[in-house]
Amino acid sequence: MEVVIVAAPSEGARLVADAIVRLVRDQDEAVIGLATGSTPEGTYAELGLRVAGGSLDPDHVRGFLLDEYVGLPEGHPASYREVIRRQVVEPLGLHPARVCGPNGLADDLPLECRRYEAAIASAGGVDLQLLGIGTDGHIGFNEPGSSLSSRTRLKTLTASTRADNRRFFGEGDEVPSHVLTQGIGTILESSHLVLMAWGSEKAAAVAAAVEGPLRALVPASAIQLHPHATVVVDEGAAGSLELASYYREVWEAKPAWQGI
Ligand code: PGA
C-alpha cells in the first residue's frame, strides 16, 4: 500500500486527477468508481479543469457509483445520482448514459443489486475506484461488521453515519436508514483503489484502516488485501499514522513522473 501525505486536499485532488488523466490516456476507455461525500469534491472539480484544458476526453470515461440511498424520490438533491450529476456528469460533459448507479427505488432491491454487479462486470470492471472513509471506518456504505467479501446489497446505516450525512439534507428531511452499496468484495475487484481522507476527524479511522488489524469492525482495513491501493491524506487525516515519516520518505524518493 502506498500512503501519500499531502499539505492540503487541493494537492491530493491534483495527484488523483493526474492518475485519472494518465489512465484515460493509456487505455481506450477508463472506468472510474465514483464516491460521493465531501472528500472527492476537489478531485471532481480538478477533473473538470482537465476537461476544459483538453487533457481529459470525457467520451473515454465511464463511471459507476459506489452506493445510493434507498427510497429517496427521483431527483432528490441528496441522492447520489443527483450529486454525481451535479459534480461529475454536467461539469465534465459526460454523456449521462456513461454513468450508472444502483437504483434505490427499484421494486426488487436484491435483483437490482445483482443487476448492478452484472453491469460493472460487463463494463470490464472498475479501473480506478475513488473512496472516502467514514469516521466509523466504512468504505462505500459498508458499515462496521460488513463481510469483507460482501457484494452489492442492502445495508442499514449506523446512527453515526446518518449523523455525519445530516448536513447534506434539508431541514425536516430524514436521512434514509437504508442504502444499496457495492460490497467490500466488489470494491476489492477494481484494479486500483484510491482512498482519500481530509481533516483530523478522519485520523483515527485512517490509522485503523492502514495500520490496524484487518477486521470487519473497520471495513476500510480491507484495502490492506488489495495489491494496488493508494491512500492520499492531508496532515490532519495522517495525524495518527505510526509510520508517517516513512511514508513521507518513500514519497519524496519517488520520481514525480510515476505519480500515484
Ligand atoms: P465524506 O464521507 O467524504 O463526506 O467525509 C466519506 C464517507 O462517508 O465515505
Side-chain angles (χ1 to χ4, degrees):
M1 185 189 309
E2 176 172 52
V3 181
V4 183
I5 303 171
V6 293
S10 54
E11 184 188 340
R14 282 195 296 277
L15 277 178
V16 176
D18 286 345
I20 293 173
V21 167
R22 256 197 325 274
L23 186 65
V24 176
R25 191 192 59 208
D26 294 348
Q27 299 187 177
D28 201 31
E29 179 170 90
V31 180
I32 309 299
L34 300 169
T36 39
S38 306
T39 306
E41 286 178 1
T43 301
Y44 297 147
E46 189 62 38
L47 290 174
L49 295 177
R50 308 301 171 97
V51 170
S55 60
L56 179 64
D57 182 349
D59 292 339
H60 291 240
V61 176
R62 293 194 61 182
F64 282 90
L65 274 69
L66 259 182
D67 43 21
E68 181 58 281
Y69 292 106
V70 167
L72 283 186
E74 189 84 46
H76 190 290
S79 77
Y80 287 163
R81 186 175 290 265
E82 272 299 296
V83 170
I84 290 296
R85 184 184 63 73
R86 291 195 303 270
Q87 295 182 1
V88 179
V89 174
E90 288 190 348
L92 271 66
L94 282 177
H95 191 286
R98 297 184 73 80
V99 176
C100 305
N103 178 6
L105 288 170
D107 289 333
D108 185 336
L109 293 171
L111 178 65
E112 171 59 12
C113 293
R114 291 196 296 278
R115 183 204 65 78
Y116 195 58
E117 287 272 339
I120 295 171
S122 73
V126 171
D127 295 305
L128 187 150
Q129 176 64 59
L130 298 170
L131 295 169
I133 182 170
T135 53
D136 66 358
H138 70 220
I139 46 172
F141 270 141
N142 294 284
E143 297 287 32
S146 291
S147 156
L148 298 180
S149 60
S150 48
R151 310 302 305 184
T152 302
R153 68 212 184 290
L154 178 68
K155 286 292 286 182
T156 306
L157 295 179
T158 60
S160 79
T161 299
R162 291 181 75 216
D164 284 348
N165 287 5
R166 175 78 239 142
R167 67 191 194 281
F168 297 116
F169 287 78
E171 220 174 293
D173 226 2
E174 280 282 297
V175 182
S177 312
H178 292 94
V179 293
L180 300 182
T181 182
Q182 285 189 36
I184 297 174
T186 318
I187 291 169
L188 290 179
E189 281 172 7
S190 60
S191 303
H192 184 190
L193 296 182
V194 178
L195 186 148
M196 295 175 276
W198 320 129
S200 55
E201 65 279 12
K202 298 289 177 74
V206 166
V210 172
E211 296 177 336
L214 173 68
R215 55 183 188 151
L217 201 61
V218 182
S221 66
I223 68 170
Q224 295 176 28
L225 292 169
H226 198 281
H228 189 189
T230 307
V231 175
V232 184
V233 284
D234 67 0
E235 297 287 346
S240 299
L241 289 171
E242 237 174 81
L243 292 183
S245 55
Y246 174 66
Y247 305 138
R248 288 184 220 277
E249 204 178 298
V250 172
W251 179 248
E252 276 159 24
K254 192 174 181 182
W257 58 264
Q258 257 184 325
I260 57 169

